[in-house]
Amino acid sequence: MLYLTRKEHFNAAHRLFNPRWSEEKNDAIFGKCANKYFHGHNYDLFVTVKGKPDPDTGLIVNAKDLSAIIRKVVVDKLDHKNLNLEVDFLKDLMPSTENVARAIWLELEPHITGCQLHCVRLFETESIFAEYYGE
Amino acid sequence: MLYLTRKEHFNAAHRLFNPRWSEEKNDAIFGKCANKYFHGHNYDLFVTVKGKPDPDTGLIVNAKDLSAIIRKVVVDKLDHKNLNLEVDFLKDLMPSTENVARAIWLELEPHITGCQLHCVRLFETESIFAEYYGE
Amino acid sequence: MLYLTRKEHFNAAHRLFNPRWSEEKNDAIFGKCANKYFHGHNYDLFVTVKGKPDPDTGLIVNAKDLSAIIRKVVVDKLDHKNLNLEVDFLKDLMPSTENVARAIWLELEPHITGCQLHCVRLFETESIFAEYYGE
Amino acid sequence: MLYLTRKEHFNAAHRLFNPRWSEEKNDAIFGKCANKYFHGHNYDLFVTVKGKPDPDTGLIVNAKDLSAIIRKVVVDKLDHKNLNLEVDFLKDLMPSTENVARAIWLELEPHITGCQLHCVRLFETESIFAEYYGE
Amino acid sequence: MLYLTRKEHFNAAHRLFNPRWSEEKNDAIFGKCANKYFHGHNYDLFVTVKGKPDPDTGLIVNAKDLSAIIRKVVVDKLDHKNLNLEVDFLKDLMPSTENVARAIWLELEPHITGCQLHCVRLFETESIFAEYYGE
Amino acid sequence: MLYLTRKEHFNAAHRLFNPRWSEEKNDAIFGKCANKYFHGHNYDLFVTVKGKPDPDTGLIVNAKDLSAIIRKVVVDKLDHKNLNLEVDFLKDLMPSTENVARAIWLELEPHITGCQLHCVRLFETESIFAEYYGE
């Protein structure tokens, strides 16, 4: 069993905001992350798949194909977007790093064929990242 | 003459949008950077000063003091903000990397004492940065 | 189950030195790392916790709270210190990357509430890091 | 149980090319990676071992010794080489990141004593890396 | 006057080899960099332009346009290529970092309009880079 | 005229401490950087030379030769040392980033032949660096 990881990137706006709470409570819990005019990040996304290398190609998956799938299925829907307002698969979801990482897994998983999705790792900044392994 | 550089960081939302143009023209010129719901970045800010080290301290400037000035004068006004809507010193300014770098210089320069401001370098992503040297 | 990692930083002096050995034996085993006047590093500390995101916040743990705990419990005791001479929780311990990583886990673990400590990863340089998972 | 990771580096040329296929099929499958005149990479190699720190040294393994082993056993045979043409332990192997990572494991494993080899992680670019855990 | 820098990337094979010298002399001067089967690198290319931001766009140059020019004019001719054998604008040129940086400048300069090319910075590894300012 | 930069690395201990001042004044001015038991850093050193590439080699300077000079003349005297206590060319000098950068220039400059020393850039952390250009 080998693991292959491909990094992709997107830039997006978001805020941490629970619509069932008052602005005051959101400010108290989330601080400046709740700013109503949004802030944003350069997100780095690492997708890891696992499997056996194909004897003819030496590859678990063609990294260019994997990149194309990630871009089509998730990155193109996230890049230069507002994660609170514009992304179908994040609708009604708090766009925390944890939640976005898990939502990316759920979108990607049905599109990974010939190997298994192993991990989605999402960096919000160089100091904060979340990981989801599908369970 | 020696040069000292201090790195600071802020996360912000913005869009490239000229209010004198139609939405269509903004989209044509700026593409996805014009998205009306904003996007955002992790900005890295490098401030360089120049001068002679003080014989008693060996320092051009105390890096902690320089950091405190940069944070108070610019970073606290930019971090977790929307650069189009909330920053006094960016009012009526297209928040391009170039313009934000120059605006940061203009804010900071009066607060740099005992040495000279030499360069403001602002990274919007790891692939794009702007520099301003004051002239 | 999701995983969230927070990066913190400290700068410290240390030496690898076994007081039960002669200077000569320390030099033979540890080489320049045994230098009696110490050397030092910029340490990067990655703390990973695991848990379920809170339905109201979308967070396993508020990253700012986690940061505050890490700083209070370990970083403030390590930053700009000598790891051989000044840190209570490293007393009588060889300050190798491995041992310091494990000691940080032992200090931190009782302070992590609402989720579980999963991993302490400590970089001594960009080329050497240690990990401890609690067992 | 603690884990220690050491990073090493090599620069090499390679191409993805299956000699049982025509040039046309290689081009169709591997695209520009099949270029007959080769291309190349700066490879970053992370080797992780696990074990208990020695009570006298605080170390799972002396990182300098581990570095010397990695360099002698694999890096010196890979650095500034052509992975398709010159490396004994890659003979008749497609030099994909996955296959090279596994081949490095197989070379290194017999030389790791006093602790266990846990993971070989090989970066081909900053966006693609493979991992092998020995099974 | 403001400066804007755009980073691009390519992977290539090369060797340092003077065809007017014997293999022995090449080996003596260039060491393992002369390996006849080539080696390779992940090259990072930073292109800096200078000018005044356009009052309507706030930009010296649209970074996406600049990226497209760099890719078309130089990166597409260098990526996944052998710098000794396949690149028209490097013909009869020792593909040292210095020479490749200058050759990239000469190719790019006629295509930069509306602002001035200021610097081409080329990283061969993270430890070696060359810069050319056009004179 | 082309510029070539070579990166080297050393790990060292230091403190900011003016022996003509009391401990109290040192603490007041330098804060935790004055800690009497020292702290330390992973220093990254970038040395830039300028010149014309040799027509036979394409090189301003052989990067391996430049590396060997930097290591012999400065890095070997700084690596795993205490900058306040053990380095001849830092004697009686406050080991601030600025002063160490300038001292490295003064040591290196007589050893650079066939091209000119242009810049010494010294990173104390990823957030603080000093540069000296010889005047």
Side-chain angles (χ1 to χ4, degrees), chain F residues 62-92:
Chain F
N62 189 315
K64 282 185 183 43
D65 295 343
L66 178 59
S67 173
I69 291 168
I70 302 168
R71 291 185 190 208
K72 183 181 171 195
V73 176
V74 292
V75 167
D76 287 352
K77 296 172 184 165
L78 296 163
D79 190 33
H80 284 72
K81 297 295 193 224
N82 186 309
L83 304 188
N84 296 73
L85 303 177
E86 295 182 279
V87 184
D88 277 356
F89 68 85
L90 299 179
K91 199 165 148 47
D92 299 326

Coordinates of all heavy atoms in Angstrom, one line a residue, chain F residues 62-92:
Chain F
N62 N 31.8 29.2 -9.0 CA 31.3 27.9 -8.8 C 30.6 27.8 -7.4 O 31.2 28.1 -6.4 CB 32.5 26.9 -8.8 CG 32.0 25.4 -8.8 OD1 31.1 25.1 -8.0 ND2 32.5 24.6 -9.7
A63 N 29.3 27.5 -7.4 CA 28.5 27.6 -6.2 C 29.1 26.7 -5.1 O 29.0 27.0 -3.9 CB 27.0 27.2 -6.5
K64 N 29.7 25.6 -5.5 CA 30.3 24.7 -4.5 C 31.5 25.3 -3.9 O 31.7 25.2 -2.7 CB 30.6 23.3 -5.2 CG 29.4 22.5 -5.3 CD 29.7 21.1 -5.8 CE 28.4 20.3 -6.0 NZ 27.3 21.2 -6.6
D65 N 32.3 26.0 -4.7 CA 33.4 26.7 -4.2 C 33.0 27.8 -3.2 O 33.6 28.0 -2.1 CB 34.3 27.3 -5.3 CG 34.9 26.3 -6.2 OD1 35.0 25.1 -5.8 OD2 35.3 26.6 -7.3
L66 N 32.0 28.6 -3.6 CA 31.5 29.6 -2.8 C 31.0 29.1 -1.5 O 31.3 29.6 -0.4 CB 30.3 30.4 -3.5 CG 29.7 31.5 -2.7 CD1 30.7 32.6 -2.3 CD2 28.5 32.1 -3.6
S67 N 30.2 27.9 -1.6 CA 29.8 27.3 -0.3 C 30.9 26.9 0.6 O 30.9 27.1 1.8 CB 28.9 26.1 -0.7 OG 28.6 25.3 0.4
A68 N 32.0 26.3 0.0 CA 33.1 25.9 0.8 C 33.8 27.1 1.5 O 34.2 27.0 2.6 CB 34.1 25.1 -0.1
I69 N 33.9 28.2 0.8 CA 34.5 29.4 1.4 C 33.7 29.9 2.5 O 34.2 30.2 3.6 CB 34.7 30.5 0.3 CG1 35.7 30.1 -0.7 CG2 35.0 31.8 1.0 CD1 35.8 31.0 -1.9
I70 N 32.3 30.0 2.3 CA 31.5 30.5 3.4 C 31.5 29.6 4.6 O 31.6 30.1 5.7 CB 30.0 30.6 2.9 CG1 29.9 31.5 1.7 CG2 29.1 31.1 4.0 CD1 28.5 31.4 0.9
R71 N 31.5 28.3 4.3 CA 31.6 27.4 5.5 C 32.9 27.5 6.2 O 32.9 27.5 7.5 CB 31.4 25.9 5.0 CG 30.0 25.7 4.5 CD 29.8 24.2 4.1 NE 28.5 24.1 3.5 CZ 27.7 23.0 3.5 NH1 28.2 21.9 4.1 NH2 26.6 22.9 2.8
K72 N 34.0 27.5 5.5 CA 35.3 27.6 6.2 C 35.5 28.9 6.9 O 36.0 28.9 8.0 CB 36.4 27.4 5.1 CG 37.8 27.3 5.7 CD 38.9 27.1 4.7 CE 40.2 27.3 5.3 NZ 41.3 27.5 4.2
V73 N 35.1 30.0 6.2 CA 35.5 31.3 6.8 C 34.5 31.7 7.9 O 34.9 32.4 8.9 CB 35.6 32.3 5.6 CG1 35.8 33.7 6.2 CG2 36.6 32.0 4.6
V74 N 33.3 31.4 7.8 CA 32.3 31.9 8.8 C 31.4 30.8 9.4 O 31.3 30.7 10.6 CB 31.4 33.0 8.3 CG1 32.2 34.3 8.1 CG2 30.6 32.7 7.0
V75 N 30.8 29.9 8.6 CA 29.8 29.0 9.2 C 30.5 28.1 10.2 O 29.9 27.8 11.3 CB 29.1 28.2 8.1 CG1 28.3 27.1 8.7 CG2 28.1 29.2 7.4
D76 N 31.6 27.5 9.9 CA 32.3 26.6 10.8 C 32.6 27.2 12.2 O 32.8 26.6 13.2 CB 33.5 26.0 10.2 CG 33.2 25.0 9.1 OD1 32.0 24.6 9.0 OD2 34.1 24.5 8.4
K77 N 32.8 28.6 12.1 CA 33.1 29.3 13.4 C 31.8 29.7 14.2 O 31.9 30.1 15.3 CB 33.9 30.5 13.0 CG 35.3 30.2 12.4 CD 36.0 31.4 11.9 CE 37.3 31.0 11.3 NZ 37.9 32.1 10.4
L78 N 30.7 29.6 13.5 CA 29.4 30.0 14.1 C 28.5 28.9 14.5 O 27.7 29.0 15.4 CB 28.7 30.9 13.1 CG 29.4 32.2 12.8 CD1 28.7 32.8 11.5 CD2 29.3 33.3 13.9
D79 N 28.6 27.8 13.8 CA 27.6 26.7 13.9 C 27.8 25.9 15.3 O 28.9 25.5 15.6 CB 27.8 25.7 12.8 CG 26.7 24.7 12.8 OD1 25.5 25.0 13.2 OD2 26.9 23.5 12.4
H80 N 26.7 25.8 16.0 CA 26.7 25.2 17.3 C 27.6 25.9 18.3 O 28.2 25.3 19.2 CB 27.0 23.7 17.2 CG 25.9 22.9 16.7 ND1 25.5 22.9 15.4 CD2 25.0 22.1 17.3 CE1 24.5 22.1 15.2 NE2 24.1 21.6 16.3
K81 N 27.7 27.2 18.1 CA 28.5 28.0 19.0 C 27.6 29.0 19.8 O 26.5 29.2 19.4 CB 29.6 28.9 18.2 CG 30.6 28.0 17.5 CD 31.5 27.2 18.4 CE 32.7 26.6 17.7 NZ 32.9 25.3 18.0
N82 N 28.3 29.7 20.8 CA 27.6 30.7 21.5 C 28.2 32.1 21.0 O 29.4 32.3 21.1 CB 27.9 30.6 23.0 CG 27.2 31.6 23.8 OD1 27.3 32.8 23.6 ND2 26.5 31.1 24.9
L83 N 27.4 32.9 20.4 CA 27.9 34.1 19.7 C 28.4 35.1 20.6 O 29.2 36.0 20.2 CB 26.7 34.7 18.8 CG 26.1 33.8 17.8 CD1 25.1 34.6 16.9 CD2 27.1 33.0 16.9
N84 N 28.1 35.1 21.9 CA 28.6 36.0 22.8 C 30.0 35.6 23.4 O 30.8 36.4 23.8 CB 27.7 36.1 24.1 CG 26.3 36.7 23.7 OD1 25.5 36.0 23.1 ND2 26.1 38.0 24.1
L85 N 30.3 34.3 23.4 CA 31.4 33.8 24.1 C 32.5 33.2 23.3 O 33.6 33.0 23.7 CB 30.9 32.7 25.1 CG 29.9 33.2 26.1 CD1 29.5 32.0 27.0 CD2 30.4 34.3 27.0
E86 N 32.2 32.7 22.1 CA 33.2 31.8 21.4 C 33.7 32.2 20.1 O 34.5 31.5 19.5 CB 32.5 30.4 21.3 CG 32.1 29.7 22.5 CD 31.5 28.3 22.2 OE1 30.3 28.3 21.8 OE2 32.3 27.3 22.2
V87 N 33.2 33.3 19.5 CA 33.5 33.6 18.1 C 34.5 34.7 18.0 O 34.1 35.9 18.4 CB 32.2 33.9 17.3 CG1 32.6 34.1 15.8 CG2 31.2 32.8 17.5
D88 N 35.7 34.5 17.6 CA 36.7 35.5 17.5 C 36.3 36.8 16.8 O 36.4 37.9 17.4 CB 38.0 35.0 16.8 CG 38.8 34.1 17.7 OD1 38.5 34.0 18.9 OD2 39.8 33.6 17.2
F89 N 35.6 36.6 15.7 CA 35.3 37.8 14.9 C 34.0 38.5 15.4 O 33.7 39.6 14.9 CB 35.2 37.5 13.4 CG 34.1 36.7 12.9 CD1 32.9 37.2 12.7 CD2 34.3 35.3 12.7 CE1 31.8 36.4 12.2 CE2 33.3 34.5 12.2 CZ 32.0 35.1 12.0
L90 N 33.4 38.0 16.5 CA 32.3 38.7 17.1 C 32.7 39.2 18.5 O 31.9 39.8 19.2 CB 31.1 37.8 17.3 CG 30.5 37.2 16.0 CD1 29.3 36.3 16.3 CD2 30.1 38.3 15.1
K91 N 34.0 39.1 18.9 CA 34.5 39.5 20.2 C 34.1 41.0 20.4 O 34.3 41.8 19.5 CB 36.0 39.3 20.3 CG 36.6 39.2 21.7 CD 38.0 38.6 21.6 CE 38.9 39.2 22.7 NZ 38.3 39.3 24.0
D92 N 33.6 41.3 21.6 CA 33.3 42.7 22.0 C 32.2 43.3 21.1 O 32.1 44.5 21.0 CB 34.6 43.6 22.0 CG 35.6 43.1 22.9 OD1 35.2 42.6 24.0 OD2 36.8 43.2 22.6

